[in-house]
């Protein structure tokens, strides 16, 4: 396994605008991509996503790991399959979490 290219901070709706403004205006991170409910910032070699999550009451940090065989890696980790968290569109992999509850997207890297 190796580190992925994305980190997501899942933010409640009532904190999202201020959080995006903080990273854009105060921290000064360049915007990499803007979507309706998500803003991605250049964060070194990574993209830091600030995601609006209406049903959320607290902040969560989600990370990404790459592996050539996500199913085998999930088994190796002994972590729970949490695929119900969010749909995986055009991604081969699984949602899981570490023992502390940090959400991990364990996926196969797509070649450009």
């Amino acid at each position: 396994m190796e580190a992925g290219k994305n980190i997501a901070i899942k933010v409640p709706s009532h904190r999202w605008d201020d959080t995006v403004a903080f990273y854009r205006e105060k921290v000064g991170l360049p915007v990499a991509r803007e979507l309706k409910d998500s803003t991605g910032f250049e964060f070194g070699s990574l993209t830091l996503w600030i995601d609006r999550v209406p049903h959320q009451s607290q902040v969560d940090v989600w990370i990404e790991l790459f592996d050539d065989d996500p199913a085998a890696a999930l088994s190796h980790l002994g972590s729970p399959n949490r695929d119900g968290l969010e749909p995986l569109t055009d991604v081969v992999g699984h949602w899981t979490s570490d023992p502390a509850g940090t959400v991990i997207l364990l996926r196969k890297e797509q070649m450009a």
Side-chain angles (χ1 to χ4, degrees):
M1 278 173 265
E2 63 183 69
K5 298 176 184 174
N6 297 288
I7 298 174
I9 300 175
K10 305 292 187 170
V11 179
S13 292
H14 70 282
R15 300 278 186 195
W16 190 74
D17 288 327
D18 290 341
T19 303
V20 170
F22 175 83
Y23 285 99
R24 183 187 334 238
E25 297 159 17
K26 301 225 182 212
V27 178
L29 296 178
V31 173
R33 187 167 181 205
E34 290 186 275
L35 305 170
K36 179 180 177 251
D37 290 318
S38 188
T39 300
F41 293 95
E42 293 177 19
F43 195 75
S45 62
L46 304 174
T47 301
L48 172 64
W49 292 95
I50 310 299
D51 295 341
R52 180 190 341 240
V53 184
H55 59 276
Q56 191 135 334
S57 63
Q58 64 185 28
V59 172
D60 279 333
V61 176
W62 294 20
I63 65 172
E64 176 181 62
L65 294 174
F66 290 143
D67 195 273
D68 289 336
D69 187 345
L74 182 66
S75 178
H76 169 77
L77 292 174
S79 298
N81 182 318
R82 300 194 57 201
D83 286 348
L85 289 172
E86 279 186 6
L88 290 175
T89 307
D90 299 325
V91 172
V92 175
H94 296 284
W95 290 109
T96 189
S97 56
D98 68 16
T102 304
V103 175
I104 300 168
L105 173 55
L106 179 57
R107 72 179 188 96
K108 190 170 188 170
E109 186 172 10
Q110 294 172 308
M111 299 301 158

